[in-house]
Every structure is written in structure tokens, then in C-alpha cells.
Amino acid sequence: MRFEGSGFARLITIALAAFSVSACNEVMNGFVRSIGDDEVIGLADGAVDAVLARDDDAVRALTHPQAEHVFTAEAMAQVFEYLPAEPERRRHLLQYNWSTFQTLGQEPTRRVTLIYQVQFEPDQSGLTRSEFVRIGLLANGEAPLRLAEFRVFPVPEPIYGGIDDWPTGFWAALIIAPLTAIFCLLALISVWRTPRLKRRILWTLFVVLIGYPVFAFSTETGSWFLLSPGIHRTPTGVHYSFLDFTVFSASWVQQTFTGHYVFNVAIPVGALLFFLQKTRGKLAFKAPKSQSDRNAASPNQPSNPVSP
């Protein structure tokens, strides 16, 4: 499937896509920083600042003793050489993961991993580089967290060169996924706008969570496949999936380091059943309140109000 268009239309499409990615990163940055520990994020920000400033002494001052063999002068020189010479334009914190584990007879160990996306100013040719920066922090016992890992990855190029390169499956995923979510949202609104509806909470959960079976499209394979129920073989083993809950029966995720998209779309069984029952008049309703019940609820109101 190919969609021919003018250069202006393509420019608008690229601009909208860039705006969408930027907006998503801004939202994710604010969300991750809101749930993360401010002191830990400040330490990670300081480590990124030190590396971008090519300050070897500042990096070593933040390094954990167990990682001193990693942050050698040669290793840091390679990182400094790889980074662009242009100053930083913006920085987004995309991931914040923490864990604590303890071996019998030893102090607990805390690990925190943060992933940034750093965009630099354009170079002399007008090209703008973006890099993923992975920060690993480590602490033993009650000791403060210190830098144990610093890795830089290039942000992957777009999966498809342009809108004309989008395959049919990708177009279908871009259309079906949001339409499915909107359909479930409309069903949810209808659930709460239907007066005296019985089992409103159960209908809400049914509409929001129940979608089956689940289909998926991956830009890595370029094809649709049955996700649940299904049996899938990966390099790490065989995975069985017989039940999968997807909010509003649709979702999408972009893999951080590869840039590939995965769309999950389920048949919205809950929303379809609600609209079917509503159309057929099969929904259960609570009995309307009698006049005596309304008077009991409002004892100060006259039983037979008279309008002037």
C-alpha cells in the first residue's frame, strides 16, 4: 500500500510525528521524575553532567569502589570521544528502575538504573544527534549510592524511511488500535451515563479489561500474529500466553534500544457485549425511587410542592 502526496503533506506528517515524539518524551520525563527519588535522580543528573562536560575527575568522584576498574582513563576517553562536541539541547529521563537483593550473611545491595535520552544541538551540517544514556547506581548496606555503570547508545533511526514506506500492517495497526480504544472509551462513558444501571462497577471492569483474543503487530517482523492465546518461541525460550489483559483492548509500546513498535489489539468483548445488551434492552436496572422514598430523603421538602 502506497500513499502518494505532495512535499508539503509529507513535511506536515514529519512535523506532527516529531511533535508527537517530543510530547511523549516530555510526558514520560515528568512522570518518571515524579515517581523517582529526587536525591537519586539528582545524583544521576550530576553524573550525566560530568560526562557531558568531559570532567574525568568529577566522574571518578562519583564512582563506586567496585566499579573503579570500569571507569579507567582509557574507557572514559573513548566515551568522551564518542559524544558529540555540540552542547546539550534537552534531556529526558525515560526509565527509573530500582531493586534490592541480599545474599545470606551479607549486607543488602541496592541498584538503581536510569535511562536518559539526550539531544544535542545541530552540528555544522545541520544534523541533530540523540543518544541514550544508561546510568547504573550501586550501594552496599547503608552506604550512599555511587556510579557503577555508564553506557551510551545511539537512538535508533526511524523504522521506516517515510510515510510511503509504511506497510499495510503498520497502517492497520495505526488505525485499528486507537479506534478500538475509542470504542471502549465510548462504552465506558455510556455505562456511567445510563441511569439506574445495575452492576455498574462490574460493567466498568468488563468494558475496560475484557478483550479476547489478543492480536499483535510488530515492526520487527512486519506481520500480525495471535498473541493470546498462543505459544511463542523466542531466543530466551518458549512462552505460553492463554490470558492477557489490555486496558481498553489496545496498547502500543516502543522498544527503547531498537526503536521497534509492538501494537496489541484485542476484540473488545466487554464493550461489544454492553452495547449489544443495551440495544436489545437486556440491561438490568434498579427500580425507581417511590415518592415516599424521595420524601424520606428530603424531609424538609413538602410532599406535594405547588409551583406559583
Side-chain angles (χ1 to χ4, degrees):
M1 179 183 294
R2 294 179 62 86
F3 291 81
E4 302 295 341
S6 65
F8 179 74
R10 296 182 184 180
L11 181 62
I12 292 297
T13 302
I14 294 173
L16 289 175
F19 174 78
S20 176
V21 171
S22 177
C24 289
N25 285 345
E26 288 289 350
V27 172
M28 183 61 68
N29 178 71
F31 173 74
V32 174
R33 289 184 180 274
S34 67
I35 66 173
D37 183 271
D38 292 339
E39 183 176 354
V40 174
I41 294 177
L43 175 61
D45 283 337
V48 176
D49 291 337
V51 173
L52 295 183
R54 294 169 170 76
D55 190 341
D56 196 1
D57 293 335
V59 174
R60 292 181 181 278
L62 299 173
T63 301
H64 193 279
Q66 295 181 5
E68 290 180 350
H69 66 284
V70 176
F71 294 91
T72 62
E74 294 78 8
M76 294 309 303
Q78 292 179 358
V79 174
F80 295 157
E81 183 179 359
Y82 171 79
L83 290 172
E86 290 71 32
E88 174 187 0
R89 171 183 286 184
R90 62 175 63 92
R91 180 189 310 177
H92 295 119
L93 178 58
L94 304 181
Q95 292 186 23
Y96 180 101
N97 303 315
W98 68 94
S99 62
T100 301
F101 60 94
Q102 184 172 7
T103 304
L104 186 63
Q106 298 183 2
E107 292 184 320
T109 300
R110 293 178 292 147
R111 292 184 181 274
V112 183
T113 302
L114 305 93
I115 297 179
Y116 293 85
Q117 181 175 343
V118 181
Q119 185 180 37
F120 297 87
E121 294 290 346
D123 58 16
Q124 295 181 351
S125 62
L127 296 178
T128 302
R129 277 182 59 180
S130 293
E131 303 287 339
F132 286 128
V133 177
R134 178 187 174 104
I135 298 289
L137 305 176
L138 177 67
N140 301 107
E142 298 299 326
L145 287 165
R146 285 292 179 264
L147 183 64
E149 179 187 9
F150 189 99
R151 302 177 66 185
V152 182
F153 303 87
V155 174
E157 296 293 329
I159 301 301
Y160 303 117
I163 190 171
D164 292 337
D165 297 329
W166 292 0
T168 304
F170 190 58
W171 276 106
L174 288 176
I175 295 172
I176 296 174
L179 288 181
T180 302
I182 292 172
F183 180 76
C184 293
L185 180 60
L186 293 176
L188 179 62
I189 293 174
S190 181
V191 166
W192 284 92
R193 289 182 62 87
T194 302
R196 306 192 317 276
L197 178 65
K198 278 188 176 181
R199 306 179 186 90
R200 195 185 304 272
I201 299 299
L202 291 179
W203 273 117
T204 298
L205 295 176
F206 204 56
V207 167
V208 172
L209 296 178
I210 302 302
Y212 199 79
V214 183
F215 300 90
F217 174 83
S218 171
T219 56
E220 186 172 8
T221 61
S223 61
W224 285 88
F225 58 93
L226 181 62
L227 178 64
S228 179
I231 302 175
H232 310 283
R233 184 180 298 275
T234 67
T236 59
V238 180
H239 301 270
Y240 303 88
S241 177
F242 298 107
L243 187 63
D244 190 274
F245 292 100
T246 303
V247 176
F248 287 147
S249 297
S251 67
W252 71 273
V253 64
Q254 183 182 21
Q255 299 172 358
T256 302
F257 296 118
T258 64
H260 284 288
Y261 293 93
V262 178
F263 294 84
N264 292 346
V265 179
I267 296 177
V269 176
L272 287 171
L273 183 60
F274 174 78
F275 279 130
L276 179 63
Q277 292 292 87
K278 186 175 183 179
T279 303
R280 298 172 58 192
K282 299 293 186 179
L283 293 176
F285 296 94
K286 301 176 182 178
K289 291 184 177 180
S290 62
Q291 183 65 39
S292 60
D293 292 336
R294 288 194 292 267
N295 292 341
S298 303
N300 296 328
Q301 298 293 329
S303 58
N304 295 307
V306 177
S307 300

